[in-house]
């Protein structure tokens, strides 16, 4: 099944921001486009806005004047749904209410031909439920674009329970012909991106609610150590706290209030207070012109240790040994079977975040996971009540000697980056095991949809087979609510395969 012919008209129902973006994508690809909105006059206003954006594309050299003029001629504001009669694809981007979408598609069934492909751009509703109101849901598919649709490449192509394979394939190939990067997805709450991205927000909020660190520090660690484009607090302020919380709540409810997707009470209070982020002038951060910029906690300069003793290979943090030597700190290596850690001159231990807490040991400082320890500019440390000040000082001084800024946070298991990445990896493995999408499509979706530095499976491979499972298993022992219980899929990946490979 090939993509729609470019001569075939495409209808877009809903002339808001997303509807305009989808219409512009189809228009620039070469289709005649009909744009409709239930509010009188809004479609014409939206068409004018699209034409203005195309004019700016010409000014910036991204489009020729001839192509712009041809696109202008192909765009038609529709006064009524009947104007979609000759369309071969209609995409809806109307209000995110099930009844509204069902009513629209029921009306379209009486207007368009039987071979017209119907698509919903829903981000949180069930494609299956939307199609349940139709005489034939076989031609209904999800085409979930990301905002702004003309710029962001990802499109989730979602097959509902009744969606015909031919319809899904046709939608997939059409999205690709429009210059997008489509990924195939089963109809599951949150699809790929909004399902697997939940821990990025949830774990940051959980660390904050545990009073282990403030938003600016957590965001800085996620960016400067984890390699994420933005931290969870600044990103939700940009998205809108009400919008982000609504998606989280929708996924949680759709999974029958699964504890893994539990919304944040702190975020709920933020929404209730009207602090919705940038659009309201205040969210986690204050955006007033005269507001003081929130800065992350950064430790004062400390003296570097003369040497460290490396016991084991440090696993995902093995690169640190080379960096320590390059910084002029002596590394004494000992082959130990009982763990991977650095021993400081004080006798205290420096250990990669593993889901345990410093308070469980006499003199331990944990350090957080980094995407790339050489390129990271900040490292988070955590210490317990029994950690000696000298040990913490030596740990701070060691990372400062490597050119890193250091943020000391509270004694939370898994710290910030490590627990976030482990949970993302777990949800990704669980999604593949349940037939939601392939490993390749999940990695593509998370890199393009939310700008993750690595896809979950790329990250899993780089960290080692058992890192995420072991960390979550330790976290689950300390928080037996089920929130951190590793999935059976991750267990099979990390443990069962390892045992089979080691069998004789």
């Amino acid at each position: 099944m090939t993509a729609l012919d470019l001569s075939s008209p495409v209808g877009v129902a809903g002339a808001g921001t997303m509807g305009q973006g989808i219409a512009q994508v189809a228009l620039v690809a070469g289709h005649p486009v009909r744009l409709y909105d239930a509010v009188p006059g809004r479609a014409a206003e939206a068409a004018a806005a699209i034409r203005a954006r195309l004019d700016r594309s010409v000014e910036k050299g991204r489009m020729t004047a001839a192509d712009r003029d041809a696109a202008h001629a192909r765009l038609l504001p529709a006064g009524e749904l009947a104007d979609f009669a000759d369309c071969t694809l209609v995409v809806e981007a109307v209000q995110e209410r099930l009844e509204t979408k069902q009513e629209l598609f029921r009306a379209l069934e009486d207007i368009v031909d039987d071979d017209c492909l119907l698509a919903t751009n829903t981000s949180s509703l069930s494609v299956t439920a939307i199609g349940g109101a139709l005489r034939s849901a076989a031609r209904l598919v999800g085409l979930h674009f990301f905002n702004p649709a003309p710029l962001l490449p990802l499109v989730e192509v979602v097959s509902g329970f009744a969606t015909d394979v031919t319809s899904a394939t046709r939608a997939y190939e059409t999205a690709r012909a429009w210059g997008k990067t489509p990924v195939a997805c089963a109809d599951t709450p949150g699809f790929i991106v909004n399902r697997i991205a939940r821990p990025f927000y949830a774990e940051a909020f959980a660390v904050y609610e545990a009073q282990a660190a403030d938003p600016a520090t957590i965001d800085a660690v996620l960016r400067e150590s984890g390699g994420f484009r933005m931290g969870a607090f600044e990103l939700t302020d940009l998205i809108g706290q009400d919008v982000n919380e609504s998606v989280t709540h929708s996924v949680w409810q759709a999974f029958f209030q699964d504890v893994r997707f539990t919304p944040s009470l702190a975020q709920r209070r933020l929404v209730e207070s009207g602090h919705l982020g940038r659009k309201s002038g205040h969210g986690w951060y204050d955006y007033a012109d005269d507001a003081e910029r929130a800065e992350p906690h950064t430790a004062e300069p400390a003296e570097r240790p003369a040497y460290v003793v490396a016991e084991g290979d440090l696993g995902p943090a093995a690169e640190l040994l080379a960096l320590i030597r390059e910084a002029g700190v002596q590394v004494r290596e000992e082959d130990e079977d009982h763990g991977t850690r650095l021993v400081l001159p004080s006798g205290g231990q420096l250990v990669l975040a593993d889901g345990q807490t410093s308070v469980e040991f006499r003199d331990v400082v944990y350090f957080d996971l980094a995407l790339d320890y050489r390129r990271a500019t900040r490292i988070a440390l955590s210490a317990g009540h029994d950690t000696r000040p000298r040990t913490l000082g030596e740990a701070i001084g060691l990372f400062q000697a490597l050119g890193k800024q250091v943020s000391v946070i509270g004694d939370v298991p898994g710290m910030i980056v490590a627990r976030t990445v482990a949970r993302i990896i777990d949800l990704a493995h669980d999604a593949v095991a349940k037939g939601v999408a392939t490993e390749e499509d999940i990695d593509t979706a998370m890199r393009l949809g939310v700008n993750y530095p690595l896809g979950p499976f790329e990250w899993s491979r780089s960290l080692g087979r058992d890192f995420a499972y072991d960390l979550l298993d330790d976290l689950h022992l300390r928080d037996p609510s089920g929130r951190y219980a590793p999935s059976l899929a991750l267990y099979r990946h990390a443990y069962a395969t390892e045992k089979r490979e080691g069998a004789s």
Side-chain angles (χ1 to χ4, degrees):
M1 176 61 66
T2 58
L4 296 176
D5 188 276
L6 290 179
S7 64
S8 60
V10 171
V12 178
T17 300
M18 185 56 76
Q20 289 181 37
I22 296 170
Q24 183 175 331
V25 170
L27 190 66
V28 171
H31 289 273
V33 173
R34 315 277 189 263
L35 182 58
Y36 169 80
D37 197 281
V39 177
R42 184 171 291 175
E45 293 174 359
I50 293 171
R51 292 187 176 107
R53 284 196 290 274
L54 297 181
D55 290 343
R56 289 195 292 273
S57 293
V58 172
E59 294 170 3
K60 295 177 179 179
R62 298 171 181 167
M63 174 183 274
T64 67
D67 287 342
R68 183 266 320 274
D69 292 343
H72 279 189
R74 293 195 303 271
L75 179 59
L76 176 67
E80 54 187 6
L81 283 178
D83 293 335
F84 287 164
D86 63 341
C87 289
T88 54
L89 166 65
V90 177
V91 185
E92 70 79 16
V94 299
Q95 186 181 21
E96 198 75 343
R97 291 183 66 252
L98 179 61
E99 296 79 8
T100 302
K101 295 179 186 293
Q102 288 177 330
E103 182 180 348
L104 172 66
F105 282 121
R106 278 196 297 264
L108 286 170
E109 276 192 307
D110 295 330
I111 294 170
V112 300
D113 290 339
D114 290 342
D115 61 352
C116 176
L117 188 64
L118 301 178
T120 172
N121 184 59
T122 184
S123 61
S124 60
L125 298 176
S126 165
V127 174
T128 301
I130 294 171
L134 305 183
R135 292 192 296 271
S136 173
R139 59 172 165 169
L140 178 70
V141 65
L143 275 180
H144 180 215
F145 290 78
F146 288 74
N147 192 32
L151 299 180
L152 295 186
L154 184 69
V155 177
E156 293 177 318
V157 182
V158 185
S159 294
F161 183 80
T163 303
D164 186 88
V165 173
T166 301
S167 298
T169 303
R170 195 178 190 190
Y172 185 99
E173 293 301 331
T174 296
R176 184 156 63 180
W178 290 357
K180 296 301 181 181
T181 303
V183 292
C185 176
D187 185 20
T188 184
F191 309 141
I192 298 175
V193 173
N194 280 329
R195 171 180 178 150
I196 296 174
R198 293 345 300 159
F200 179 72
Y201 313 109
E203 294 313 306
F205 298 160
V207 171
Y208 168 76
E209 289 174 334
Q211 301 187 56
D214 60 273
T217 299
I218 296 169
D219 278 353
V221 172
L222 287 168
R223 289 193 313 268
E224 300 171 38
S225 183
F228 292 96
R229 184 77 59 87
M230 298 178 74
F233 296 89
E234 57 187 338
L235 180 55
T236 52
D237 267 359
L238 179 63
I239 294 169
Q241 297 302 331
D242 52 339
V243 174
N244 180 261
E245 199 232 12
S246 176
V247 172
T248 299
H249 195 271
S250 175
V251 171
W252 175 62
Q253 290 282 22
F255 276 114
F256 306 105
Q257 300 186 359
D258 187 329
V259 69
R260 295 176 301 166
F261 301 100
T262 300
S264 162
L265 180 59
Q267 187 181 38
R268 175 94 289 264
R269 293 291 179 258
L270 204 66
V271 173
E272 289 174 338
S273 70
H275 289 182
L276 306 182
R278 288 182 178 272
K279 62 185 178 183
S280 70
H282 201 300
W284 296 110
Y285 300 108
D286 187 348
Y287 296 95
D289 292 339
D290 58 350
E292 185 177 344
R293 178 183 173 87
E295 297 293 341
H297 166 78
T298 302
E300 295 294 326
E303 185 176 350
R304 70 171 65 190
Y307 68 90
V308 295
V309 179
E311 297 183 349
D313 62 4
L314 296 189
E319 187 179 21
L320 280 176
L321 297 181
L323 297 179
I324 292 169
R325 290 189 180 97
E326 292 169 17
V329 177
Q330 182 185 4
V331 177
R332 304 172 186 173
E333 295 192 56
E334 295 183 3
D335 187 12
E336 295 285 343
D337 295 331
H338 57 265
T340 55
R341 62 190 181 187
L342 294 174
V343 180
L344 297 162
S346 66
Q349 302 172 33
L350 187 57
V351 182
L352 175 62
D354 59 7
Q356 301 183 79
T357 58
S358 297
V359 76
E360 299 171 53
F361 306 96
R362 189 182 68 82
D363 197 18
V364 165
V365 174
Y366 275 105
F367 65 94
D368 207 351
L369 182 67
L371 172 68
D372 182 334
Y373 282 98
R374 183 172 293 276
R375 298 175 61 184
T377 58
R378 182 179 299 272
I379 295 292
L381 303 179
S382 69
H385 295 299
D386 293 331
T387 304
R388 289 182 292 171
R390 179 186 170 190
T391 297
L392 179 58
E394 288 176 344
I396 293 171
L398 176 65
F399 280 103
Q400 288 175 339
L402 307 186
K404 318 298 183 188
Q405 296 197 79
V406 175
S407 293
V408 179
I409 70 170
D411 187 20
V412 287
M415 302 192 67
I416 298 171
V417 179
R419 69 197 280 176
T420 299
V421 171
R423 286 208 60 215
I424 289 170
I425 289 171
D426 181 50
L427 289 187
H429 277 279
D430 185 55
V432 169
K434 292 176 178 173
V436 173
T438 65
E439 291 186 9
E440 294 76 14
D441 276 356
I442 288 175
D443 276 352
T444 297
M446 302 313 291
R447 283 189 281 101
L448 298 184
V450 277
N451 290 312
Y452 283 6
L454 291 175
F457 293 97
E458 294 173 312
W459 227 326
S460 181
R461 288 188 290 271
S462 72
L463 293 174
R465 182 176 294 277
D466 58 356
F467 178 83
Y469 176 83
D470 287 348
L471 186 143
L472 290 176
D473 195 39
D474 278 336
L475 263 168
H476 178 54
L477 289 174
R478 287 150 184 82
D479 178 359
S481 65
R483 178 188 180 104
Y484 299 103
S487 67
L488 179 58
L490 190 62
Y491 169 81
R492 286 171 172 157
H493 170 77
Y495 186 76
T497 303
E498 178 182 306
K499 288 297 184 183
R500 187 168 63 248
E501 290 173 348
S504 58

